[in-house]
Amino acid sequence: MLAPAASPACEPTDGFDLHPDVVALAVLLVAGENEARMLAVHPHRQPGDAAPQIAATLEGPGWKAAFSRTLELEACGGLLPGPAPSICLGATPPEAIGPGVGYGIRGTAPLGGFTGEMRFPVPPLLVEPADTLRLSWRDVRFRTLSVPIRYQVPADVGTLLAHLYDFAGEIPLPDHYLPVDRGARWGTLTVYPVDVVPVRFSLRLLGIGRHYTDFVKHIGAGHPLPRPWPSFGIEGEGVYGYFDGITPSRAARILVESR
């Protein structure tokens, strides 16, 4: 479960130091998982050059876990960059990563050391549907299905996704961005294509913190950012990027039946 993420290879300012050893980092922890992933990119090197040499440790409550395993780039999911030299590193903490807990990161990159801190946002609240929503095939129009939802967004959530995951292997289910406001919100999810009956899938909301959200906003601002740059959870010499977390809501099952 990974959210679509802006590539850290995008430079946050036109005046950014173009040193070839600069490293962009992207770390999104997922609540409930037993693995952490870090994407490291040399944004100013050519494709085919060597990937960044990174030594880093994830720090939790009373433990440390090294990013010691090299993973396939696809394991970083939505964190994937463009063609710049990249490496995806994995760490296995001694316990599941949990919401309500602060985490740190510490390491070294080619131009110096870096540190970071993050705390998971409060999980979003999926108000409706309840545990199971039963719909009829008559609710499908032009191979699309509209699912009404109601939700609440905590104050520390900056980005909200509706994550649909198929437990029957029948239909492709892309994630949907939802508006972020602080009151109860109604919305409609459109799922397509729908070709078979019955259709069964699950829905949960993913809340992503403000480090990630602010990073995405700043790299798309279209003008140079003044130094010192805002912190997105990671700071260091010759390093920029974000360190944040994703928390899921409870899940609801959606059933579309031939009645």
Side-chain angles (χ1 to χ4, degrees):
M1 178 180 62
L2 284 174
S7 166
C10 298
E11 297 170 20
T13 172
D14 293 340
F16 190 74
D17 183 359
L18 297 181
H19 194 292
D21 288 335
V22 162
V23 174
L25 298 176
V27 186
L28 270 177
L29 304 181
V30 182
E33 290 196 351
N34 292 296
E35 183 175 63
R37 291 169 289 272
M38 169 191 290
L39 179 72
V41 182
H42 270 319
H44 309 311
R45 289 185 177 270
Q46 296 298 314
D49 287 351
Q53 295 294 312
I54 299 291
T57 301
L58 179 68
E59 300 178 351
W63 53 259
K64 297 180 180 180
F67 285 91
S68 57
R69 295 183 297 112
T70 301
L71 308 175
E72 296 292 331
L73 283 178
E74 288 75 11
C76 281
L79 303 179
L80 281 175
S86 309
I87 188 169
C88 184
L89 299 173
T92 304
E95 61 187 10
I97 298 168
V101 177
Y103 291 89
I105 196 169
R106 187 176 303 274
T108 57
L111 295 180
F114 63 89
T115 59
E117 293 183 351
M118 62 78 66
R119 182 172 291 274
F120 276 99
V122 175
L125 177 62
L126 179 60
V127 180
E128 296 180 19
D131 292 341
T132 301
L133 174 63
R134 296 182 180 274
L135 299 172
S136 168
W137 182 248
R138 293 189 296 270
D139 296 315
V140 176
R141 297 289 185 272
F142 303 105
R143 300 178 66 222
T144 66
L145 174 68
S146 295
V147 180
I149 63 170
R150 187 182 178 204
Y151 57 91
Q152 292 182 343
V153 185
D156 53 355
V157 168
T159 300
L160 186 67
L161 290 174
H163 179 61
L164 310 177
Y165 52 105
D166 183 9
F167 59 83
E170 294 168 339
I171 53 177
L173 300 171
D175 289 343
H176 298 252
Y177 283 95
L178 296 174
V180 174
D181 67 33
R182 306 307 169 187
R185 175 82 181 191
W186 285 95
T188 301
L189 299 180
T190 301
V191 182
Y192 61 88
V194 176
D195 291 320
V196 293
V197 177
V199 175
R200 303 180 177 91
F201 60 92
S202 290
L203 158 70
R204 58 186 167 188
L205 304 181
L206 306 182
I208 312 176
R210 293 187 174 275
H211 286 163
Y212 162 85
T213 305
D214 291 344
F215 180 85
V216 172
K217 289 180 179 177
H218 277 80
I219 65 172
H223 56 79
L225 298 180
R227 295 198 185 202
W229 295 331
S231 173
F232 309 112
I234 292 179
E235 299 181 26
E237 185 65 30
V239 171
Y240 72 97
Y242 57 88
F243 180 31
D244 212 335
I246 304 174
T247 53
S249 71
R250 68 169 179 85
R253 290 161 57 97
I254 314 297
L255 305 178
V256 184
E257 302 170 327
S258 54
R259 57 177 172 83

